[in-house]
Amino acid sequence: MSEPARRRLVFAVLAAALPLALLSALSLGSVPLSPLGVIGSAAARAGLGAPAPLGDVGEVILWSVRLPRVLIAALVGGGLAVVGASLQSLFRNPLADAGLLGVGPGAALGAVIAVNLGWAQERFLALPLSACAGALLALLLIYALAHAGGRPSLSGLLLTGLAVSAVAAAGTSVLLVATEEFRVRTVLFWLAGGLEGRGFEHAALAAAFVLPGVAALFLLSRPLDVLSLGEEEAAALSLPVHAVRIVVFGLCALVAGPVTAVAGSIPFVGLIAPHALRGLVGPLGRHLLPASFLAGAILVVVADLAARSFGQYVELPLGSVTAFVGAPYFVLALRGQEGRE
Amino acid sequence: MRLTPLATALLALASSASTASAAGGDAGGPPRRVVSLNLTADELLVEMLPPERLVGVTRWADDPEMSNVAGRVPAAAERLPRADLERLIALRPDLVVVSEYTDADFLRLLEKSGLRHHRLSGLASLAGIRAAITDLGQLVACPGAAARLVARMDAILGELARRLDGARRPRVLYWSDPHTAGADSALGSLIEAAGAVNVGRELGLRGIVPISGERAFVADPDVVLLTLGSGAAGSLRRHPLLSRTRAAREGRVVEMPNRLLVALSDRAADACWWLAARLHPSLVPQALPAGGNR
């Protein structure tokens, strides 16, 4: 099969799989809903059929609880996968992902502050907004510190991120120890990643950063392709290497921070989706980024469905589900890469 | 507490909707289908409500180690293994009773799903527990039942205070490796109502917070209070410092059943009596006073 034909097939499969995954996730759960009923309910909302085909209870579950949750899962997965693909091009390393940015520990610090001070119990959206602020402050700090001595190298940026992450993680630990026992559970659930109790406002918060951020990264796919050739080659092709690097790094953090704020830590999604697709659709950003978005969305929608379906007494943490899948994949990918080298 | 400008801006961005005592859903008439999402509410609602009006409780309500109403929960009430919003909606409750620690985002989702909720709060003191029982009784239109629970609680605590008047107060340290109870905690209130001094409060601690072994050792409590069956007794015996405290060496370690330690309902008075009977055996008998029996 030629590469363009294979690419078309991959996009067709992903484009068909995403609605299927969404419909499954909307239909399955603690209270099963008929897939036809779900479609009928959506049609009714669009004025195309009889109202409330799922009954009062089913309609409330679908439109108040399940739909925002599934939308967030798709946004989170898509956003993280595009961030992963962009960082893999930026760092010229197929195993890079959002964990390198250093915004996760900043978000965690923001979240634990919100819980420690009681805001999370008292104020709607206080926890995700605090986490979001923590992530963005960490990003600003990384930028400011990295540029303190002039233009930083890529490794300088990474190491500064590592230092800021370490400080944020230390702050999180100190606050966790000082937080009342019962409140700690809220933080732990958030740190483990999950979408329980998220509504349309959380979806809006994620969408406000993910959709423009991902669109901007799509627009930067060509410079990213050039950058993936190497810095010297990119500079020889008149690419403003430092500016592109900073913009891509910033956009990735602006997507990953709010995603982490809304969903907690969801590891490996940004690694698996683009890494698996690179061999199928090719390394060019204009193909890889949209395909990664679709695959990441499918991955997290399905992982969240698994997380809320398996545990009777506790909902499995979404981050654990993606880690159970992602960690073995990472090891296999690492061995494959070492074998090629 | 003073907020930084950043925090103030952050909170201004967040919705100003703080959680009212009972919010969301249709508030018309007394609730007919009540669901509890925490053990304290399970205990109170089993005592207050006619069985057919309690449609959901936590799975802990049937556990005799955790619950003071095990065996008395209406069979028809759904046992909820977790705060699963979808199952909750399917029960069609007209009131959901949540805990002080339920986060605001979950409560907003309850409201958006058309479910009215009530937060049990102020349970860090016996006075707060009394007020919470009265409030809940009003809300579920069972003020008489609530008043009986409060009267029973007051009868036990009143008799306890009478018996302990002028008694020497031992210094008690609650220890749940590595946490202890300071001021503003239900456990601290329990210790004090049982005729003891709470070492956690002496040390300036607030709430349920960790305490270092060195600090606990230097505090030299007269009695160490543990949770029965939690493994805390073994941890105490193995602890390099706490095992050498006077209390541990002389066997003044009290292990309290979990169902009493976590009781933030009217049963908190039973817990006070139980502890007082161990701390002051010559003044307080094991059996509850006449007004305390159901």
Side-chain angles (χ1 to χ4, degrees):
Chain A
M1 189 184 289
S2 69
E3 193 179 316
R6 189 174 61 221
R7 204 158 44 228
R8 278 195 295 275
L9 178 64
V10 170
F11 271 103
V13 168
L14 291 172
L18 182 58
L20 274 178
L22 293 172
L23 183 61
S24 305
L26 290 172
S27 305
L28 301 173
S30 304
V31 180
L33 304 174
S34 138
L36 286 178
V38 170
I39 294 169
S41 181
R45 292 261 168 159
L48 300 173
L54 293 168
D56 290 348
V57 167
E59 293 287 328
V60 172
I61 289 174
L62 175 62
W63 294 99
S64 297
V65 181
R66 225 173 262 177
L67 180 62
R69 179 174 187 147
V70 171
L71 286 178
I72 295 170
L75 284 168
V76 164
L80 287 176
V82 170
V83 166
S86 303
L87 291 175
Q88 287 168 16
S89 296
L90 187 67
F91 290 107
R92 301 177 68 203
N93 184 334
L95 298 178
D97 84 346
L100 290 173
L101 295 168
V103 293
L109 181 59
V112 79
I113 287 172
V115 171
N116 182 281
L117 297 179
W119 300 345
Q121 282 76 40
E122 292 162 11
R123 301 278 175 170
F124 177 57
L125 283 185
L127 193 149
L129 283 175
S130 298
C132 199
L136 299 180
L137 281 176
L139 173 64
L140 287 177
L141 197 58
I142 292 167
Y143 183 88
L145 290 175
H147 282 76
R151 278 186 180 183
S153 65
L154 208 50
S155 57
L157 206 57
L158 271 180
L159 291 171
T160 308
L162 209 61
V164 170
S165 296
V167 171
T172 301
S173 300
V174 168
L175 280 175
L176 268 179
V177 168
T179 299
E180 214 179 341
E181 197 181 7
F182 298 110
R183 295 186 200 272
V184 169
R185 284 175 63 87
T186 304
V187 182
L188 292 181
F189 278 118
W190 182 86
L191 287 175
L195 300 176
E196 172 75 27
R198 309 308 197 265
F200 279 114
E201 293 85 354
H202 299 85
L205 178 62
F209 288 90
V210 170
L211 295 180
V214 163
L217 287 168
F218 282 180
L219 292 175
L220 285 169
S221 59
R222 173 81 182 135
L224 267 174
D225 291 339
V226 176
L227 205 54
S228 67
L229 298 172
E231 290 191 10
E232 285 182 13
E233 289 81 352
L237 291 168
S238 307
L239 187 78
V241 172
H242 179 71
V244 170
R245 217 166 50 191
I246 289 297
V247 169
V248 170
F249 191 87
L251 283 171
C252 287
L254 280 174
V255 172
V259 157
T260 309
V262 168
S265 170
I266 314 290
F268 291 109
V269 174
L271 186 148
I272 296 176
H275 190 271
L277 285 166
R278 184 169 280 106
L280 296 171
V281 301
L284 292 180
R286 68 176 184 274
H287 304 134
L288 183 61
L289 295 186
S292 296
F293 185 87
L294 293 172
I298 294 166
L299 185 62
V300 176
V301 167
V302 172
D304 180 53
L305 178 58
R308 61 188 154 98
S309 302
F310 285 147
Q312 187 197 352
Y313 293 114
V314 287
E315 181 172 309
L316 296 181
L318 176 56
S320 303
V321 175
T322 59
F324 282 138
V325 176
Y329 181 91
F330 179 75
V331 172
L332 288 174
L334 194 62
R335 298 192 75 169
Q337 190 184 9
E338 284 172 349
R340 278 193 298 278
E341 283 169 2
Chain B
M1 180 181 301
R2 289 192 56 181
L3 298 178
T4 62
L6 171 70
T8 310
L10 197 67
L11 289 179
L13 266 176
S15 162
S16 60
S18 61
T19 51
S21 177
D26 176 11
R32 298 282 159 208
R33 296 177 62 79
V34 183
V35 170
S36 157
L37 288 184
N38 69 92
L39 184 55
T40 298
D42 292 344
E43 294 188 355
L44 292 173
L45 292 169
V46 164
E47 301 292 354
M48 288 184 196
L49 286 177
E52 68 278 6
R53 288 176 57 196
L54 184 57
V55 296
V57 294
T58 69
R59 70 182 170 111
W60 308 112
D62 292 321
D63 183 343
E65 298 215 338
M66 299 282 290
S67 162
N68 292 293
V69 292
R72 296 177 47 220
V73 183
E78 179 99 358
R79 271 57 171 180
L80 294 164
R82 57 189 167 95
D84 178 340
L85 197 52
E86 295 184 5
R87 274 181 81 176
L88 203 55
I89 293 168
L91 286 174
R92 299 168 180 265
D94 47 15
L95 181 68
V96 181
V97 185
V98 300
S99 85
E100 192 158 6
Y101 299 100
T102 305
D103 70 63
D105 291 12
F106 184 83
L107 297 185
R108 173 59 69 94
L109 212 48
L110 280 181
E111 290 168 22
K112 289 222 154 191
S113 307
L115 303 182
R116 186 182 177 207
H117 61 79
H118 171 72
R119 195 199 277 276
L120 273 185
S121 57
L123 305 179
S125 69
L126 294 169
I129 291 173
R130 261 191 217 98
I133 294 172
T134 306
D135 286 351
L136 185 61
Q138 296 285 351
L139 193 66
V140 298
C142 297
R148 278 192 295 279
L149 293 180
V150 170
R152 175 183 175 275
M153 201 175 154
D154 286 344
I156 296 172
L157 294 174
E159 176 62 14
L160 197 53
R162 191 186 66 74
R163 287 174 179 268
L164 294 174
D165 187 30
R168 182 193 152 271
R169 294 180 167 257
R171 296 171 59 255
V172 174
L173 175 79
Y174 170 71
W175 193 67
S176 172
D177 192 5
H179 292 90
T180 191
D184 298 331
S185 69
L187 265 168
S189 303
L190 184 161
I191 289 170
E192 287 161 2
V197 172
N198 178 18
V199 171
R201 180 196 283 273
E202 274 188 342
L203 294 174
L205 303 173
R206 295 169 71 95
I208 305 292
V209 288
I211 181 172
S212 71
E214 290 183 15
R215 206 169 176 201
F217 178 72
V218 171
D220 189 27
D222 298 321
V223 176
V224 178
L225 175 63
L226 308 173
T227 308
L228 182 65
S230 67
S235 297
L236 184 72
R237 279 194 299 274
R238 289 188 297 274
H239 197 284
L241 273 178
L242 290 181
S243 59
R244 298 185 189 194
T245 54
R246 269 188 317 115
R249 280 187 282 111
E250 295 169 12
R252 279 181 277 106
V253 175
V254 174
E255 291 186 84
M256 195 173 203
N258 205 13
R259 67 183 168 77
L260 291 175
L261 267 175
V262 299
L264 303 179
S265 63
D266 61 305
R267 300 298 187 122
D270 303 38
C272 296
W273 188 276
W274 186 98
L275 182 58
R278 270 77 190 166
L279 298 176
H280 305 277
S282 60
L283 300 174
V284 181
Q286 305 262 338
L288 285 170
N293 291 316
R294 290 181 191 280

